[in-house]
Amino acid sequence: MDKRKKNNSGLLNLRQIANRLCVSTGTVQKYIRNGQLPNAFIPARQLGYRIPLSDVEQLEQKIKKDRSKNEEYLSVSEMATILNCSETSIRYAIRNGKIKNYRLHNKMYLVRRSDFQNYIQEYVERKDCLSLQEVADRLDVSKATVGNYVRDNIFSNAFIRNRTEGYLIPLSDIENFESKVKIPDGFIAVKEIAVYLNCHPESVRELIRKGEFKSVKKHLGDSYLVSVQEIERYYEQEINQTKDYLNITHAAEFLSCHKDTIRTYLKKGVFKNYLYRNKREGYLIHKNDLLRFKEPLIIPEGFNTPEDAAKKLDLSVGQVLNLARNKFISSYKLKKNNGAETWIVSEEDIFMYKKVKDQKFTPENAVEYSTLDAVNKFKFETKNLIVQFSDKSKTHRLFSKYAISKLSNSNAREETLKKKVAYYIKTLEVILQRLDKNVYDLSDKEIRDILNDSTIVEYVKQYFIGFLQYCSDNIENCKFKNDYSTNRNNQSEKEIYSLNTFKEYFEHVRDVDLHTKKAIKLKTYAQTWLYVIMHLMNAWRSGDIVYGLPQIEFDELDINDFNYFKDHKLTREQSQVIINQVHLKVGKIKFSKTGALGQFLCIDSLAIPFATAISIVELHRRKADERLMLTSIRSSGINKRFFEEKRELEYFDSLKMNRTLITYFFHHVSQSEGDAHLSYEASQILRSHINEDTTMVYIKFSSAEDSLDEISFNICERGHFGWVFNSMINLFFDQKHQTIQERTKIIQAFQENYTIPAIETYASFLLVERNQKESLALKIAKMSKDELKNVITKIFRGEMPAKTELAQCLSHPNCPYPTSKTCIGCEYLVPTEYLLISVTEQIKTTMLNLYNAQTARIREREIYFLKKLFFLINQAIIEKGKEYVDTFIDRNQLKDLFIALTEYKGEEIVIDTPKKN
């Protein structure tokens, strides 16, 4: 025991060090891993770490030194506490340059106290000034009114310090204004009148405009003052005399009945105490007459009031009254003491209704109607038919098997699924009623007689033909031999919009200025705008648009309510942030009819209109707390007010527009010297069809009117970028293109902002990149025009996929680097814009791999791969622009993370992203 104590003298365990340093044991372990307790060791596995006291004392000194160094700095949380705001607001001020100087310590922002005080003085403190909203609250007017005062130079010393705060108004201007607008004795302002009369201020203004008040003065521009005597006179004549009376509308609400019922009681003389003021006010009924209707009614035994019956039946009172009038046998009307009549409902009628209701099918899940519910409903509704038509039980079982198979495999949504169940049930009923034998014993003549019977509805014939085909495929020795189909030659199902009309729709939805204000005011208008835009870019079915458009977030944008769109327009970069969200979310949705994954396309010319429309729709959705984005389209269709400026466009048809878009897309591809199969398959992708033959139904075969060039350019925009791929297109279309040397010079121009050591680290890397692209460019230059065209076409069709998602490969299917797990950095890669979304995560992963690298070989590999990733971003910036690329990638965040990691590890190599000149 003495020996162990001797060996452990001067040594501390993890818990002792943690208590001494006031940190967790996990933090102590981190110090050990980081080499800050270099002599830590484990004498025995069960004992854990032992650390010399000298190491701990050195670490304490270092911590004290760091703390004293940081005393003149404030953390984000400390600054937020001082200003009583959120930490997010402080970080926003740092990222936007309002807090100009900061440093990173352990991935945390630190700001010098003097710099923070400068920020407070410049952006927070407002000495002897008020904002527009503060002035509005003080003067008891709207913010817009104060804004008008500023524009009219009433507040002559108002000024703007920065765009975020807006106008600031000195207190001296406000006090001077208040002294001038003091209300004279004997008069009262509109708002005080509204409180006195218990009405809305606009109602008071309407009374003034109609001349109800004689003594009126103009005040503060368009506001009014009215004599107190006039107000008291009006109150006595128009309000006090009628305070115990209710108009017809309020009387109906008081008695929970319809207004026509009140009018009937007036005609019959049920109400004795009433007034008729004028045509505008109509009849006024005294409260005492209405209260008599609230007197308790003596109900005979075995009967219920409509209200009690509604509770027992779980129905509304209106539904119970309708049943009492039309279906209940034992219920009747009872006359009240005041002469009015009311229904009373018998217990017998309630019992019979519940019994019939219990025999009806009820889905297992009231929220979502599934294929299982559809199958169970079919079984429930048809189980009695097998008893009723026992001689055709085999037909019943065969059709049931067919219908259940179809319903089980259906991808249809709730409304369509319910309709299908009803159609299958009705078809089975008709088959069993009309046939005098089992279906497989029918002759072709008997089948033709059924199909030619005009008394049978068309959908029953359709479903019957499907059943016949099922019998042919599954039953041997069927007596009928022919194949059957219905003739559906409806000319309206082939119509498309003319090119001029299509262009008018296109231009109409692009008018952001026209639609934004109306969309803010009216939810149905906003949803119609978004619904029509979707039809002009994507050939989605109407139901897929209604149910498939996802909810969006505004985390990266300063959009909190509709006021944002009153003062701002979305930029191209802001719009791309929203579009990226939709692209990612839609890619995970299966369309109901085909089961294919969603394909969302947003073309550049509609990017800002689409992003604006879906943002306003999202704000309406949040305000109404609705699940779907397009609830009004689902329930009521489009709002024709959207086309009030273009009346010729108001008869918008979803399927017709789908046929139009697919047709013009088809003609664009087929007329570009392409083959027919390319036209079909391209249109197939646009429609999210799995079978090419399905798409053919939507295409109108006719000579293309006028030139499709302009509209085809819009609907066929693409988002590929990449120097090699662009060079291929330039070669194919015989356009002047940049040489390798010219493009290399552009890239090298971006390197001018680097330090000399940074440029040196890139020299060999850029040389390899240039040699690879020169080699590939020579290979491409040797291709024939047909070969080049074939490769470009396959890339546009998505038929040359790379290992990395959202990219194509010029060498597919023969990968030049088969052991590589990613295509980033490969000279054969043809990226798309959306690949940039995943690049950020790949860079973070590579940085962490570099941080944790244990060997020089691994470090070299990760640094090389990191250069490849940054080189891809450089390429995107050159071709798309820095602002656009920043909507996909937070380059400053990646830069700060890399610098923090390399500085912490003592690295000298700093890899940066280029700045746009």
Side-chain angles (χ1 to χ4, degrees):
M1 179 64 74
D2 295 337
K3 186 177 180 180
R4 182 181 299 174
K5 287 183 178 179
K6 184 177 180 181
N7 291 338
N8 289 337
S9 63
L11 299 177
L12 301 178
N13 61 27
L14 293 180
R15 177 54 62 189
Q16 290 170 328
I17 296 174
N19 292 336
R20 179 165 179 160
L21 299 180
C22 298
V23 297
S24 66
T25 56
T27 302
V28 177
Q29 289 176 326
K30 183 178 178 181
Y31 289 147
I32 294 172
R33 288 196 302 272
N34 292 342
Q36 298 187 61
L37 295 170
N39 297 309
F41 66 98
I42 300 176
R45 185 175 181 180
Q46 63 272 23
L47 295 178
Y49 278 105
R50 292 292 183 271
I51 299 97
L53 180 61
S54 59
D55 279 14
V56 178
E57 291 173 343
Q58 288 180 6
L59 180 59
E60 280 181 317
Q61 292 300 320
K62 183 179 182 302
I63 291 174
K64 288 180 180 178
K65 185 177 180 181
D66 289 344
R67 285 175 179 169
S68 62
K69 183 179 178 181
N70 289 330
E71 282 182 355
E72 62 175 311
Y73 288 87
L74 294 172
S75 67
V76 170
S77 60
E78 289 172 333
M79 289 186 283
T81 302
I82 292 172
L83 293 183
N84 192 24
C85 66
S86 68
E87 294 183 15
T88 302
S89 299
I90 299 298
R91 293 191 184 93
Y92 181 83
I94 292 173
R95 287 196 297 269
N96 286 273
K98 293 181 179 179
I99 298 177
K100 295 181 174 56
N101 299 313
Y102 65 89
R103 68 187 186 91
L104 282 173
H105 179 70
N106 290 337
K107 303 180 184 179
M108 296 174 57
Y109 289 113
L110 294 177
V111 177
R112 198 182 300 272
R113 293 177 182 272
S114 58
D115 291 330
F116 181 60
Q117 189 60 38
N118 291 338
Y119 165 72
I120 293 175
Q121 292 175 355
E122 184 174 357
Y123 293 100
V124 179
E125 291 183 349
R126 297 196 306 249
K127 296 180 180 178
D128 300 328
C129 291
L130 298 179
S131 67
L132 292 184
Q133 186 59 57
E134 290 168 338
V135 175
D137 295 339
R138 174 165 174 162
L139 299 181
D140 196 21
V141 297
S142 69
K143 182 179 177 181
T145 300
V146 178
N148 289 335
Y149 292 163
V150 171
R151 283 189 288 274
D152 294 341
N153 205 31
I154 293 175
F155 298 123
S156 57
N157 296 310
F159 64 96
I160 296 177
R161 184 163 59 191
N162 57 65
R163 187 173 181 181
T164 303
E165 289 181 314
Y167 278 103
L168 297 178
I169 302 172
L171 278 174
S172 57
D173 278 19
I174 300 168
E175 292 169 352
N176 183 46
F177 175 79
E178 288 174 329
S179 65
K180 291 180 179 179
V181 300
K182 184 178 179 181
I183 298 174
D185 293 338
F187 283 84
I188 186 172
V190 169
K191 283 193 175 181
E192 286 72 24
I193 297 172
V195 174
Y196 183 70
L197 299 182
N198 191 26
C199 64
H200 192 276
E202 189 57 37
S203 300
V204 176
R205 296 186 187 96
E206 183 64 21
L207 291 172
I208 293 172
R209 287 192 288 269
K210 289 183 177 180
E212 292 287 346
F213 306 126
K214 306 301 180 185
S215 181
V216 179
K217 290 184 177 182
K218 273 293 189 87
H219 182 68
L220 293 181
D222 293 333
S223 61
Y224 296 94
L225 297 177
V226 182
S227 166
V228 174
Q229 292 181 346
E230 285 283 309
I231 300 302
E232 290 176 347
R233 176 191 59 78
Y234 180 84
Y235 178 81
E236 181 61 31
Q237 293 181 358
E238 303 297 331
I239 297 177
N240 192 44
Q241 289 181 4
T242 61
K243 64 181 179 180
D244 292 327
Y245 289 80
L246 297 178
N247 61 22
I248 288 177
T249 300
H250 292 151
E253 292 174 356
F254 183 78
L255 297 181
S256 300
C257 65
H258 195 275
K259 290 186 287 187
D260 287 343
T261 303
I262 301 297
R263 295 186 182 99
T264 301
Y265 289 158
L266 284 167
K267 289 179 182 178
K268 291 183 177 181
V270 175
F271 299 128
K272 306 297 183 183
N273 189 4
Y274 63 88
L275 301 173
Y276 183 80
R277 303 272 293 178
N278 52 57
K279 188 175 182 179
R280 179 175 58 83
E281 289 185 276
Y283 287 94
L284 302 176
I285 304 163
H286 201 278
K287 289 181 180 179
N288 290 338
D289 279 17
L290 297 172
L291 286 170
R292 280 197 290 270
F293 273 74
K294 297 289 186 178
E295 294 175 357
L297 180 66
I298 300 175
I299 305 295
E301 187 176 350
F303 286 82
N304 300 268
T305 65
E307 290 77 14
D308 291 337
K311 293 178 182 178
K312 291 181 178 181
L313 295 175
D314 194 22
L315 298 172
S316 68
V317 174
Q319 289 173 313
V320 170
L321 292 174
N322 187 52
L323 290 170
R325 283 190 290 267
N326 300 305
K327 291 190 176 182
F328 288 167
I329 299 173
S330 303
S331 303
Y332 63 92
K333 284 185 176 181
L334 184 67
K335 199 166 190 178
K336 298 171 72 173
N337 294 332
N338 56 17
E341 292 181 329
T342 184
W343 280 94
I344 56 175
V345 183
S346 71
E347 288 287 351
E348 182 181 353
D349 286 338
I350 292 174
F351 172 77
M352 292 303 297
Y353 181 85
K354 285 184 174 181
K355 183 177 179 181
V356 173
K357 184 179 180 181
D358 290 340
Q359 294 176 352
K360 290 185 177 181
F361 172 77
T362 304
E364 293 184 5
N365 188 344
V367 177
E368 182 178 0
Y369 191 88
S370 65
T371 53
L372 179 61
D373 292 322
V375 170
N376 289 337
K377 179 174 176 63
F378 177 83
K379 292 178 179 178
F380 184 87
E381 297 288 345
T382 60
K383 62 185 178 181
N384 293 329
L385 293 176
I386 197 168
V387 179
Q388 186 178 351
F389 300 98
S390 57
D391 56 328
K392 287 164 276 190
S393 60
K394 292 183 179 180
T395 296
H396 182 284
R397 283 194 289 270
L398 191 60
F399 187 89
S400 297
K401 187 176 180 181
Y402 160 71
I404 290 170
S405 173
K406 287 287 189 180
L407 292 170
S408 299
N409 294 305
S410 175
N411 290 315
R413 292 192 175 87
E414 180 177 337
E415 291 84 353
T416 304
L417 203 54
K418 287 180 177 179
K419 183 172 68 174
K420 284 178 176 288
V421 174
Y423 284 1
Y424 279 120
I425 294 170
K426 181 63 176 178
T427 302
L428 180 56
E429 289 177 353
V430 172
I431 289 174
L432 295 177
Q433 290 170 359
R434 294 298 182 99
L435 304 185
D436 56 3
K437 60 183 74 172
N438 281 309
V439 65
Y440 45 79
D441 290 328
L442 292 174
S443 66
D444 286 310
K445 181 181 181 306
E446 290 171 321
I447 291 175
R448 284 196 301 271
D449 290 341
I450 293 173
L451 296 179
N452 292 329
D453 190 338
S454 60
T455 62
I456 300 177
V457 294
E458 189 64 28
Y459 71 81
V460 170
K461 296 178 184 179
Q462 290 276 350
Y463 280 58
F464 179 51
I465 288 172
F467 179 47
L468 292 174
Q469 186 62 47
Y470 176 82
C471 293
S472 297
D473 295 339
N474 294 277
I475 303 296
E476 295 183 0
N477 301 320
C478 286
K479 289 189 176 180
F480 60 87
K481 303 299 179 183
N482 293 339
D483 290 330
Y484 296 94
S485 63
T486 55
N487 182 19
R488 300 179 67 186
N489 188 22
N490 189 344
Q491 184 62 31
S492 65
E493 295 184 359
K494 297 181 181 180
E495 291 181 358
I496 67 171
Y497 289 107
S498 69
L499 184 58
N500 285 335
T501 303
F502 187 92
K503 289 179 180 178
E504 287 184 13
Y505 275 115
F506 202 89
E507 293 303 321
H508 186 58
V509 301
R510 288 178 63 186
D511 195 340
V512 175
D513 294 333
L514 172 65
H515 299 306
T516 299
K517 291 183 180 179
K518 298 177 183 179
I520 290 172
K521 291 180 180 179
L522 195 59
K523 177 177 72 173
T524 56
Y525 189 100
Q527 293 185 1
T528 298
W529 187 17
L530 177 59
Y531 182 72
V532 176
I533 289 176
M534 280 295 297
H535 280 82
L536 294 169
M537 303 187 303
N538 299 272
W540 289 16
R541 296 161 193 84
S542 178
D544 290 327
I545 296 176
V546 171
Y547 290 93
L549 273 178
Q551 301 170 9
I552 61 173
E553 306 297 334
F554 299 121
D555 295 340
E556 300 179 40
L557 303 170
D558 191 23
I559 300 175
N560 298 312
D561 50 39
F562 293 119
N563 289 330
Y564 179 88
F565 291 99
K566 293 178 180 178
D567 303 321
H568 305 84
K569 288 184 181 179
L570 291 178
T571 64
R572 182 65 180 85
E573 289 71 32
Q574 289 175 315
S575 300
Q576 191 62 46
V577 170
I578 294 170
I579 291 165
N580 289 351
Q581 279 192 57
V582 180
H583 173 82
L584 290 174
K585 292 181 179 180
V586 167
K588 301 175 183 177
I589 298 172
K590 282 192 174 182
F591 285 160
S592 64
K593 185 173 179 180
T594 66
L597 285 176
Q599 296 287 336
F600 171 73
L601 306 174
C602 186
I603 57 183
D604 283 344
S605 48
L606 290 181
I608 294 177
F610 171 80
T612 304
I614 198 171
S615 298
I616 294 173
V617 168
E618 171 65 21
L619 292 173
H620 280 299
R621 184 199 68 76
R622 294 182 183 186
K623 184 177 180 181
D625 193 23
E626 294 172 333
R627 180 175 63 89
L628 295 177
M629 296 285 280
L630 300 178
T631 50
S632 68
I633 302 295
R634 176 190 178 191
S635 59
S636 308
I638 64 172
N639 182 343
K640 291 190 176 181
R641 286 183 62 181
F642 179 72
F643 299 111
E644 60 188 353
E645 303 291 333
K646 288 276 187 179
R647 287 297 183 187
E648 66 274 16
L649 303 179
E650 68 179 9
Y651 297 103
F652 178 84
D653 182 84
S654 171
L655 190 56
K656 185 174 179 180
M657 183 56 76
N658 283 345
R659 285 193 298 268
T660 304
L661 184 64
I662 294 174
T663 297
Y664 290 150
F665 186 82
F666 165 84
H667 281 303
H668 167 76
V669 179
S670 63
Q671 290 177 15
S672 298
E673 300 182 6
D675 297 325
H677 76 277
L678 168 60
S679 308
Y680 286 129
E681 291 177 13
S683 303
Q684 172 187 332
I685 294 170
L686 192 66
R687 182 66 169 171
S688 290
H689 278 151
I690 296 176
N691 189 332
E692 180 181 302
D693 292 337
T694 310
T695 308
M696 292 175 61
V697 176
Y698 293 88
I699 298 173
K700 178 180 179 181
F701 291 92
S702 62
S703 57
E705 53 175 302
D706 303 325
S707 171
L708 294 177
D709 289 345
E710 179 186 347
I711 201 68
S712 295
F713 175 79
N714 286 331
I715 67 177
C716 299
E717 291 172 3
R718 288 294 183 269
H720 291 106
F721 71 87
W723 181 84
V724 174
F725 182 64
N726 287 342
S727 297
M728 293 173 65
I729 295 175
N730 289 339
L731 285 170
F732 178 73
F733 288 107
D734 296 325
Q735 295 173 353
K736 182 179 179 182
H737 58 279
Q738 291 174 316
T739 65
I740 296 289
Q741 291 75 18
E742 289 171 338
R743 188 60 65 99
T744 302
K745 287 179 181 178
I746 293 176
I747 295 173
Q748 289 173 339
F750 279 88
Q751 316 306 322
E752 292 177 1
N753 293 314
Y754 291 127
T755 62
I756 295 299
I759 295 176
E760 290 177 351
T761 63
Y762 269 104
S764 60
F765 172 74
L766 292 175
L767 181 62
V768 172
E769 289 291 320
R770 188 184 69 174
N771 289 338
Q772 285 178 334
K773 295 205 170 187
E774 282 182 339
S775 176
L776 181 59
L778 290 173
K779 180 180 176 181
I780 291 171
K782 294 178 181 179
M783 288 184 182
S784 67
K785 193 166 185 177
D786 288 341
E787 289 176 318
L788 194 60
K789 172 187 173 183
N790 185 47
V791 173
I792 294 173
T793 301
K794 285 185 176 181
I795 289 173
F796 274 110
R797 292 165 61 186
E799 292 183 354
M800 300 183 73
K803 294 177 184 177
T804 301
E805 280 189 311
L806 304 171
Q808 296 285 294
C809 174
L810 287 171
S811 67
H812 179 83
N814 302 314
C815 178
Y817 309 107
T819 60
S820 178
K821 295 181 179 179
T822 179
C823 298
I824 300 296
C826 175
E827 68 269 25
Y828 293 92
L829 180 72
V830 180
T832 67
E833 298 166 15
Y834 292 104
L835 178 64
L836 294 172
I837 295 174
S838 62
V839 166
T840 299
E841 295 306 316
Q842 293 197 43
I843 290 177
K844 290 179 181 177
T845 301
T846 305
M847 286 182 178
L848 292 175
N849 291 342
L850 180 61
Y851 174 77
N852 295 318
Q854 300 296 321
T855 66
R857 177 70 186 90
I858 295 176
R859 283 159 42 77
E860 182 181 351
R861 181 193 67 193
E862 296 301 327
I863 288 176
Y864 182 78
F865 186 56
L866 200 58
K867 290 177 181 178
K868 288 278 191 180
L869 290 166
F870 282 142
F871 193 78
L872 177 63
I873 298 176
N874 292 351
Q875 190 177 21
I877 291 173
I878 291 170
E879 297 186 16
K880 296 291 183 180
K882 179 173 70 68
E883 292 79 8
Y884 184 79
V885 173
D886 282 347
T887 64
F888 296 87
I889 296 174
D890 189 342
R891 296 183 302 117
N892 290 329
Q893 180 195 52
L894 295 177
K895 174 183 174 182
D896 293 340
L897 174 61
F898 185 75
I899 291 175
L901 291 176
T902 52
E903 286 182 350
Y904 195 73
K905 294 281 284 186
E907 301 290 344
E908 294 183 357
I909 298 174
V910 178
I911 298 176
D912 198 354
T913 56
K915 299 178 181 178
K916 187 174 178 67
N917 290 331

